[in-house]
Amino acid sequence: MKSKHLRADVLAGLTTSFALVPECIAFALVAHLNPLMGLYGAFIICTLTALFGGRPGMVSGAAGSMAVVIVALVVQHGVQYLLATVLLGGLIMVAFGLLRLGKLIRMVPHPVMLGFVNGLAIIIALAQLEHFKDGEAWLSGTPLYLMLGLVALTMAIVYLLPRLTRAVPPALAAILGVGFLVYLLGLPTHTLGDMAHIAGGLPVPAVPDVPWNLETLAIVAPYAVLMALVGLLETLLTLNLTDEITESRGYPDRECAALGAANLVSGLFGGMGGCAMIGQTMINLGSGGRGRLSGVVAGVMILLFVLFLSPLIERIPLAALVGVMFVVAQQTFAWASLRVLDKVPLNDALVIVAVTIVTVFTDLATAVLCGIVIAALNFAWQQARELYADTHREADGSKLYRLHGTLFFASTTPFLNQFDPAGDPPQVTLDCRHLSFVDYSAIAALKTLRERYAKAGKHLRVLHLSERCRQLLKRAGVQHE
């Protein structure tokens, strides 16, 4: 590795580690867990996925989308059941990768990707508003103005520093610069230590203390499946986004297997489950991190913060981290999608808006599922509308129908409506040279058409079926000659 790339990865990893700490603490608190569980999970998952995953430059950790999923489990059954859930979720992720199901991400349309990115950008920005509170009350007066001023200063450094030099990642310079200013002037503002104390020891391996029986499996399985689904979705979508930004190709199946293995280790060492984190990935990429070393440095630094550097890290002002995350949210949001809303087909615009809204108000899995369903229904509708027939009389008095399009469940009614069994001559020919049979509904439609002509005392001859269509009809027991 060239020294320039080595230096860029190290600095990017250090920058990313500063952004990971408050996020992981916050997500652990959301899930009613000890903040150290979030930090241990971030260290293990970030490091292992960086070493063995299929997408260098991508950052994984204790993600908020997965924290929300397991809140009810922790409240009702406790931490040990959560750790068992993380283990089972990890196994599901590993199986997903080994079965090479990562290619299913190709089923996600581009408008869904845009909605996912926009929704997560909004979530990142809204999550920062919690730092403008003191307990349950919003900041006001001097504390609020000080917070706003430091946030604005941080954002200004991030935006303006690249115009002067690119020797240091702007986010790292902003965090350290604002932190030093606050310490030097003794400014009374919230710091990372106000969220939680992060000092601790090395994580210790232990098997979750739960009864290993079917009753426990019935409790943890639904949460494990949902956790795995959300984690895989967010990881694969973030991998696609990283591919676009870096103009390179990742390996989704390898990433899924590595993520599952990392979750297994995290669960055994008392850490939260996790997946790819789009905000921290954007920070890493924006800071120049392109290799595996950047993720390894980010993960190892989190452990060093816990073991040795907690007094220094706890002095970092939250305003600096909030400012960096606001910039990340602004840069993550696909602003171009707003400019094309009135130019793309209405259904694509609907998918972008719907996935964005559902991501913000529910969860990623639901949002992506809604987007895929809307896109699939629209595709079926469009394909059904494109089926049409050319007809003409032959010299012998028979009638020829030449069908064009795709015959499947959504187009069977338009297909049958093309024909007139009562008014057609005794001999009718259906030319399928330009017609594709896709599913059993297509076979049933052809069978129905033949029965209608037979009932009218007329003969329907079917020509030019593709070999695939012949096999479908043969297996279904439908005559086509």
Side-chain angles (χ1 to χ4, degrees):
M1 182 182 291
K2 295 181 180 179
S3 59
K4 181 176 70 173
H5 295 158
L6 182 68
R7 179 176 176 277
D9 278 347
V10 170
L11 290 177
L14 179 60
T15 306
T16 305
S17 67
F18 286 129
L20 272 169
V21 171
E23 296 290 298
C24 294
I25 291 175
F27 297 149
L29 294 176
V30 165
H32 301 276
L33 299 172
N34 186 321
L36 284 176
M37 290 187 67
L39 296 174
Y40 289 148
F43 153 62
I44 294 169
I45 294 172
C46 185
T47 304
L48 293 182
T49 55
L51 285 172
F52 305 110
R55 177 64 269 181
M58 196 166 75
V59 176
S60 298
S65 56
M66 297 183 73
V68 173
V69 169
I70 47 88
V71 173
L73 174 67
V74 176
V75 171
Q76 295 175 17
H77 300 283
V79 172
Q80 295 302 315
Y81 278 84
L82 164 67
L83 296 177
T85 302
V86 174
L87 293 179
L88 181 57
L91 286 174
I92 295 172
M93 293 177 183
V94 170
F96 192 92
L98 294 180
L99 293 173
R100 299 185 178 279
L101 298 178
K103 63 178 72 73
L104 293 177
I105 196 63
R106 299 172 190 165
M107 301 291 290
V108 178
H110 188 64
V112 175
M113 274 290 298
L114 292 176
F116 153 75
V117 170
N118 292 347
L120 286 189
I122 294 172
I123 290 173
I124 290 170
L126 292 178
Q128 309 312 310
L129 299 182
E130 290 297 315
H131 299 305
F132 287 85
K133 290 182 177 180
D134 188 3
E136 294 298 320
W138 291 96
L139 295 176
S140 60
T142 301
L144 175 61
Y145 299 140
L146 179 59
M147 183 76 171
L148 290 172
L150 293 173
V151 169
L153 175 61
T154 302
M155 296 177 69
I157 294 174
V158 174
Y159 283 125
L160 298 177
L161 185 62
R163 299 184 181 184
L164 301 176
T165 178
R166 294 187 177 274
V168 180
L172 178 61
I175 293 170
L176 296 179
V178 172
F180 182 72
L181 179 66
V182 168
Y183 172 74
L184 193 65
L185 300 180
L187 299 177
T189 187
H190 288 169
T191 63
L192 191 57
D194 294 325
M195 291 184 67
H197 294 294
I198 65 172
L202 287 169
V204 178
V207 177
D209 185 16
V210 297
W212 295 94
N213 52 34
L214 291 177
E215 184 179 350
T216 299
L217 180 63
I219 293 172
V220 303
Y223 291 99
V225 171
L226 186 56
M227 177 184 287
L229 176 62
V230 172
L232 289 168
L233 269 175
E234 186 159 356
T235 297
L236 291 173
L237 290 172
T238 304
L239 184 144
N240 267 7
L241 181 63
T242 306
D243 284 353
E244 291 180 12
I245 293 173
T246 61
E247 298 181 353
S248 60
R249 178 174 172 268
Y251 299 92
D253 296 320
R254 179 175 173 179
E255 185 65 35
C256 293
L259 179 66
N263 274 274
L264 281 169
V265 177
S266 180
L268 288 173
F269 280 83
M272 283 178 60
C275 62
M277 302 177 72
I278 188 171
Q280 283 63 32
T281 298
M282 293 296 291
I283 290 176
N284 187 51
L285 297 176
S287 301
R290 291 293 186 273
R292 297 186 182 277
L293 183 61
S294 60
V296 173
V297 169
V300 171
M301 286 304 301
I302 291 175
L303 182 62
L304 295 179
F305 293 160
V306 172
L307 296 178
F308 309 113
L309 303 175
S310 58
L312 293 176
I313 300 304
E314 290 176 5
R315 291 184 179 180
I316 294 177
L318 287 177
L321 300 171
V322 169
V324 169
M325 296 310 294
F326 274 147
V327 174
V328 169
Q330 179 271 318
Q331 294 177 342
T332 301
F333 195 92
W335 298 100
S337 64
L338 299 181
R339 294 193 293 271
V340 301
L341 279 179
D342 60 341
K343 300 175 184 177
V344 299
L346 179 61
N347 59 282
D348 286 336
L350 175 63
V351 169
I352 294 172
V353 174
V355 174
T356 300
I357 293 173
V358 177
T359 299
V360 173
F361 289 101
T362 57
D363 59 74
L364 175 64
T366 303
V368 172
L369 180 62
C370 288
I372 292 175
V373 168
I374 295 172
L377 290 176
N378 174 71
F379 177 78
W381 173 254
Q382 295 296 335
Q383 289 293 310
R385 291 175 60 188
E386 291 180 3
L387 187 140
Y388 67 96
D390 294 329
T391 63
H392 68 271
R393 293 272 183 169
E394 300 282 26
D396 60 0
S398 65
K399 187 173 182 179
L400 172 69
Y401 287 87
R402 182 173 289 112
L403 268 293
H404 300 259
T406 304
L407 186 56
F408 65 114
F409 66 90
S411 60
T412 54
T413 299
F415 168 78
L416 294 172
N417 289 340
Q418 302 288 334
F419 300 88
D420 182 17
D424 282 344
Q427 296 294 327
V428 177
T429 300
L430 170 59
D431 187 344
C432 297
R433 190 193 314 267
H434 305 293
L435 181 67
S436 297
F437 289 72
V438 174
D439 56 9
Y440 184 74
S441 295
I443 296 171
L446 181 60
K447 186 176 181 180
T448 299
L449 182 65
R450 186 181 292 279
E451 290 171 352
R452 287 183 181 181
Y453 276 102
K455 188 176 180 180
K458 300 171 183 179
H459 176 67
L460 175 68
R461 186 173 58 153
V462 182
L463 300 178
H464 300 131
L465 283 169
S466 68
E467 186 59 34
R468 179 176 180 275
C469 295
R470 290 176 181 274
Q471 292 299 324
L472 284 173
L473 294 170
K474 183 177 180 181
R475 286 166 56 187
V478 178
Q479 296 295 322
H480 54 80
E481 296 297 336

